[in-house]
Amino acid sequence: MGEVTLKQIAEELGISVTTVSKALKNYADVSPKTKTAVINLANKLNYQPNSFAVNLRTKESKTIGLIIPEIVHHFFSNVVNAIIEKAEKKGYLVIILQSNESEELEKKQIDLLLSKRVDGILMSLSNNTKNLDHLKKVIEHNVPLVLFDKISKLLDCSKVVIDDKSAGYDATEHLIKSGCKKIAHFRGPLNPQGSIDRFLGYKKALEDYNLKFDSSIVFTCEKVSFNEGYKFAKKIHTEHKDVDGIFAITDLVGIGAVAYFNEVGVKIPKQIGIIGFSNWFMASVISPSLSTIDQPGFEMGKKSLKLLLKEIKATKKGNQIQHQTVVLPTKVIKRNSTAF
Amino acid sequence: MGEVTLKQIAEELGISVTTVSKALKNYADVSPKTKTAVINLANKLNYQPNSFAVNLRTKESKTIGLIIPEIVHHFFSNVVNAIIEKAEKKGYLVIILQSNESEELEKKQIDLLLSKRVDGILMSLSNNTKNLDHLKKVIEHNVPLVLFDKISKLLDCSKVVIDDKSAGYDATEHLIKSGCKKIAHFRGPLNPQGSIDRFLGYKKALEDYNLKFDSSIVFTCEKVSFNEGYKFAKKIHTEHKDVDGIFAITDLVGIGAVAYFNEVGVKIPKQIGIIGFSNWFMASVISPSLSTIDQPGFEMGKKSLKLLLKEIKATKKGNQIQHQTVVLPTKVIKRNSTAF
């Protein structure tokens, strides 16, 4: 099917292209009768405005791009929900792309979003993103960019994060205050800053409370999965009988550990205390319920979008943008997996 | 910043616009030296091909639109993952939009995808979509459309589904064969076909096994949530003591019921058998583990994408499209929440 143009509509109705265009934009100097005729014919012919042309005129596509590593993750789901909900209220549609933790895919997606002329981009980096050229390109294109959760300190743009180091410290301190003397850490992958910072917080808390750091009880969860939590809990149980506390990088990993100890009859929190991270609702549902750190996903989405819309507005006006880094608070949620 | 055009690149290098265009498309009749010069300059200037113009030339944007009611839902997450994984292999990028169960938003999203010139649309309908004009518009535009999971029988396009009625029958039959005599159903909302069909399957199984249907023990989960499962389990426990089996519309609802019965000390499956639906991995993790119906989300995504790509190819060639309805098999997964 050929594309219907303003010209065709104009010819069919015997009016000018300008009048058709004005009628579709509801200009006051076109009569209601003409407007109705134009709109009816446009609908009948399935007329679609040329999006590129629309952009050139209005300089706004009223769409926002959102790139996240993984949609399945409940934390990102909360962020996504907040962004969609708030964006819709402000008249923006959100194009979501999943990078699947791939730098290569992330690059393609940035190009796609730029070519689709989004008004701004919200993004959480993939764990494997090392080269930042594609992000610098966004900034050079003068397209507002806000990073959240997984960010790079090397990029000159606004950021919304939590303080992972202090949250990791709080989680470990909570275990120590629950009476744990030898605390293992099921950490995240080696690259992303958040995972490094939670580990550093863990180490610092041990230091402050005069507990010896022992790298043999720090296990790396490459996939941050239930199965890794289960597997490392088994390792603790069979090879490190003196461990009496575990700080897991996420609730999912923590739930894997809980499942293993339940299976073999190790009592939580009497024999071992466990704390997760993120406050997924499943953490409150399992038995025993899992203590955790509340990571405000919905707030993070809301705040990121708010910053982005502000920068879109400023860019449109040609104003200078003041980049901000917002650090959202976290807190310990005490449940039945720790004896505090 | 102004947009860089082919003309600027041509002028700067002192060659023709055609040569620049051919170089960027890697045509054989442009020398490697010229190609390198063009590509380097294009990169340096941040040249972005005008996506609309590209479309007009190639008639393909190599992007696919995907509209789903809710991303957080683990079943849709599996579908999304399959689609993204397979699409990437075939060189397509996926634009994901979440309708949030809103017909209004769905309409806007269809318009957005059409205006962005996607090559095809994959979609699962919102529970509240009654008017189908926006979907008919997609079909009239000759843009391939494949519906999955939540479909409308009234639309002339390809569909990928499960047989919800027979799956609902199987779930109920499994409870009956486990020894349950009075089976409640925590059903989904009244509108979507899948929820209706599961209910009809439940009713048919009761009938076939001579168990009396009792509408007072059918509860509607408007939000299909954990809390509704918990709430209706409480209702069963306090007002319908003779109920000894529950078929829950999803695993999440079933897990809510399990949580309630665990809390009050009702023994599962001895005093009450519970079966969920969808085979979310959490169903295998909770205690007791939840019997369920396996709903092949990943397969559904894969099959839907395959059909869509086939139709995109046929459309490009101007061939007639044969619409298909694919019904994927489901199966009962027996775990510890039923005494079968």
Side-chain angles (χ1 to χ4, degrees):
Chain A
M1 191 181 119
E3 288 297 334
V4 176
T5 62
L6 290 181
K7 202 169 155 227
Q8 280 171 264
I9 297 172
E11 275 170 9
E12 192 145 335
L13 294 175
I15 57 179
S16 74
V17 170
T18 313
T19 308
V20 173
S21 172
K22 280 181 170 178
L24 289 172
K25 280 185 238 147
N26 203 19
Y27 275 37
D29 60 347
V30 180
S31 75
K33 205 181 137 196
T34 307
K35 274 182 200 167
T36 310
V38 169
I39 289 161
N40 285 344
L41 184 60
N43 283 337
K44 197 181 138 207
L45 297 174
N46 278 322
Y47 169 74
Q48 280 292 316
N50 171 338
S51 67
F52 178 62
V54 169
N55 294 348
L56 282 189
R57 274 195 305 270
T58 67
K59 294 273 186 204
E60 263 206 281
S61 63
K62 286 282 179 186
T63 55
I64 285 168
L66 170 62
I67 304 180
I68 47 176
E70 205 194 347
I71 290 174
V72 188
H73 196 289
H74 65 95
F75 169 71
F76 285 122
S77 298
N78 285 336
V79 178
V80 169
N81 276 349
I83 291 171
I84 290 177
E85 187 183 314
K86 302 295 162 190
E88 206 206 339
K89 280 191 188 141
K90 299 283 180 181
Y92 286 84
L93 283 164
V94 183
I95 293 178
I96 309 168
L97 298 164
Q98 172 170 295
S99 67
N100 255 339
E101 305 286 9
S102 150
E103 180 179 319
E104 210 43 55
L105 195 48
E106 217 175 72
K107 280 183 184 161
K108 281 190 206 167
Q109 292 172 334
I110 287 285
D111 283 339
L112 178 73
L113 291 177
L114 291 177
S115 80
K116 297 289 175 199
R117 259 90 183 163
V118 293
D119 296 327
I121 296 176
L122 292 167
M123 191 166 176
S124 191
L125 300 184
S126 107
N127 284 344
N128 303 306
T129 296
K130 279 157 193 137
N131 184 310
L132 299 171
D133 286 352
H134 53 308
L135 297 163
K136 288 180 188 153
K137 190 160 134 185
V138 174
I139 296 167
E140 283 160 17
H141 266 69
N142 210 15
V143 172
L145 171 70
V146 175
L147 296 182
F148 61 89
D149 194 49
K150 295 187 178 172
I151 62 145
S152 164
K153 291 179 179 163
L154 304 173
L155 281 170
D156 181 24
C157 64
S158 287
K159 290 149 203 161
V160 182
V161 291
I162 58 167
D163 184 339
D164 282 289
K165 189 174 170 186
S166 117
Y169 186 99
D170 293 345
T172 312
E173 186 182 47
H174 175 78
L175 287 170
I176 296 169
K177 290 189 170 172
S178 313
C180 300
K181 302 279 182 225
K182 182 143 192 182
I183 299 170
H185 180 30
F186 295 178
R187 61 164 295 164
L190 299 176
N191 183 36
Q193 195 63 46
S195 146
I196 296 168
D197 286 345
R198 288 179 205 174
F199 168 70
L200 292 176
Y202 156 77
K203 232 175 138 180
K204 181 78 169 58
L206 294 184
E207 203 180 298
D208 285 359
Y209 285 87
N210 296 312
L211 295 178
K212 210 179 135 238
F213 169 72
D214 174 359
S215 65
S216 75
I217 52 170
V218 174
F219 300 93
T220 302
C221 303
E222 290 297 343
K223 295 181 165 183
V224 194
S225 67
F226 174 88
N227 287 338
E228 287 168 319
Y230 184 95
K231 182 177 77 180
F232 294 135
K234 192 173 183 177
K235 230 177 158 64
I236 291 284
H237 184 54
T238 50
E239 297 171 23
H240 303 273
K241 291 256 178 222
D242 53 343
V243 166
D244 57 4
I246 297 171
F247 164 34
I249 183 77
T250 67
D251 287 342
L252 186 59
V253 171
I255 288 174
V258 167
Y260 173 77
F261 291 122
N262 279 345
E263 209 174 289
V264 296
V266 170
K267 296 266 175 294
I268 306 167
K270 209 170 165 244
Q271 291 171 269
I272 195 156
I274 306 178
I275 188 164
F277 201 107
S278 76
N279 199 18
W280 182 24
F281 99 99
M282 280 305 304
S284 65
V285 164
I286 55 154
S287 182
S289 58
L290 185 70
S291 297
T292 191
I293 297 289
D294 184 55
Q295 191 184 9
F298 198 85
E299 275 307 306
M300 191 174 274
K302 234 171 85 174
K303 188 72 198 171
S304 304
L305 183 79
K306 201 172 165 187
L307 276 181
L308 187 75
L309 293 185
K310 201 173 141 192
E311 297 195 358
I312 289 173
K313 212 167 154 185
T315 306
K316 228 172 47 177
K317 287 188 185 162
N319 292 346
Q320 190 68 29
I321 293 168
Q322 295 291 336
H323 295 307
Q324 288 179 50
T325 294
V326 177
V327 182
L328 296 175
T330 55
K331 61 172 187 282
V332 174
I333 309 279
K334 156 80 191 107
R335 295 206 184 96
N336 296 328
S337 67
T338 49
F340 193 73
Chain B
M1 193 184 118
E3 289 297 334
V4 176
T5 63
L6 289 181
K7 201 169 157 227
Q8 281 170 265
I9 297 172
E11 275 169 7
E12 191 146 335
L13 294 175
I15 57 179
S16 74
V17 170
T18 314
T19 307
V20 174
S21 171
K22 281 181 171 178
L24 289 172
K25 280 186 240 147
N26 204 19
Y27 274 37
D29 59 346
V30 180
S31 75
K33 205 182 138 195
T34 308
K35 275 182 200 168
T36 310
V38 168
I39 290 162
N40 285 345
L41 184 60
N43 283 337
K44 197 182 139 207
L45 298 175
N46 278 322
Y47 168 74
Q48 281 292 316
N50 170 337
S51 68
F52 177 61
V54 169
N55 294 347
L56 281 188
R57 272 196 305 271
T58 66
K59 295 274 185 200
E60 264 205 280
S61 64
K62 286 281 178 188
T63 55
I64 285 168
L66 170 62
I67 304 181
I68 48 177
E70 206 195 346
I71 290 175
V72 188
H73 195 289
H74 66 94
F75 170 72
F76 285 122
S77 298
N78 285 336
V79 178
V80 170
N81 276 349
I83 291 171
I84 290 177
E85 188 183 313
K86 301 296 162 188
E88 205 207 340
K89 280 191 188 141
K90 299 283 180 183
Y92 286 83
L93 283 164
V94 183
I95 294 177
I96 309 167
L97 299 164
Q98 172 171 297
S99 67
N100 255 339
E101 304 286 7
S102 150
E103 180 179 318
E104 210 43 55
L105 195 48
E106 217 175 71
K107 280 183 184 160
K108 280 190 206 168
Q109 292 172 335
I110 287 284
D111 283 339
L112 177 73
L113 291 176
L114 291 177
S115 81
K116 297 289 175 199
R117 258 91 183 163
V118 294
D119 295 327
I121 296 176
L122 291 168
M123 192 167 176
S124 191
L125 300 184
S126 108
N127 284 344
N128 303 307
T129 296
K130 279 157 193 138
N131 184 309
L132 299 170
D133 286 350
H134 54 308
L135 298 163
K136 289 181 188 151
K137 189 160 134 188
V138 174
I139 296 168
E140 282 160 19
H141 266 69
N142 210 15
V143 171
L145 172 70
V146 175
L147 296 182
F148 61 89
D149 193 50
K150 295 186 177 173
I151 62 145
S152 165
K153 291 178 179 164
L154 303 174
L155 281 169
D156 181 24
C157 65
S158 287
K159 289 148 202 161
V160 182
V161 291
I162 57 166
D163 184 339
D164 282 289
K165 189 174 169 189
S166 117
Y169 186 98
D170 293 346
T172 313
E173 187 182 45
H174 176 78
L175 288 170
I176 296 169
K177 290 191 170 172
S178 312
C180 301
K181 303 278 181 225
K182 183 144 191 182
I183 299 169
H185 180 31
F186 295 178
R187 62 165 294 165
L190 298 176
N191 183 36
Q193 195 62 46
S195 146
I196 296 168
D197 286 345
R198 288 179 204 175
F199 167 70
L200 292 176
Y202 156 77
K203 232 174 138 180
K204 181 77 169 57
L206 294 184
E207 203 181 298
D208 285 359
Y209 285 88
N210 297 311
L211 295 179
K212 209 179 137 238
F213 169 73
D214 175 358
S215 65
S216 75
I217 52 171
V218 174
F219 300 93
T220 302
C221 303
E222 290 298 343
K223 294 181 167 183
V224 193
S225 67
F226 174 89
N227 286 339
E228 287 168 319
Y230 185 96
K231 182 178 77 180
F232 293 136
K234 192 173 183 177
K235 230 178 157 65
I236 291 284
H237 183 56
T238 50
E239 297 172 23
H240 303 273
K241 291 255 178 222
D242 53 343
V243 167
D244 57 5
I246 297 171
F247 164 34
I249 183 77
T250 67
D251 288 342
L252 186 59
V253 172
I255 288 173
V258 167
Y260 174 77
F261 290 122
N262 279 345
E263 209 173 290
V264 296
V266 169
K267 296 266 174 295
I268 305 168
K270 210 171 166 242
Q271 292 172 268
I272 194 156
I274 307 179
I275 189 164
F277 202 107
S278 77
N279 199 17
W280 181 24
F281 100 99
M282 279 307 302
S284 66
V285 165
I286 55 154
S287 182
S289 58
L290 185 68
S291 298
T292 191
I293 298 289
D294 184 55
Q295 191 185 9
F298 198 85
E299 276 307 306
M300 191 174 274
K302 233 171 85 176
K303 188 72 199 170
S304 303
L305 183 78
K306 202 173 164 186
L307 276 181
L308 187 75
L309 293 184
K310 202 173 139 191
E311 297 195 359
I312 289 172
K313 213 168 153 184
T315 306
K316 229 172 48 178
K317 287 187 184 163
N319 292 346
Q320 190 67 30
I321 293 167
Q322 296 292 336
H323 295 308
Q324 289 179 50
T325 294
V326 176
V327 182
L328 295 174
T330 55
K331 60 172 187 282
V332 174
I333 309 280
K334 157 80 190 106
R335 295 205 184 96
N336 296 328
S337 66
T338 50
F340 193 73

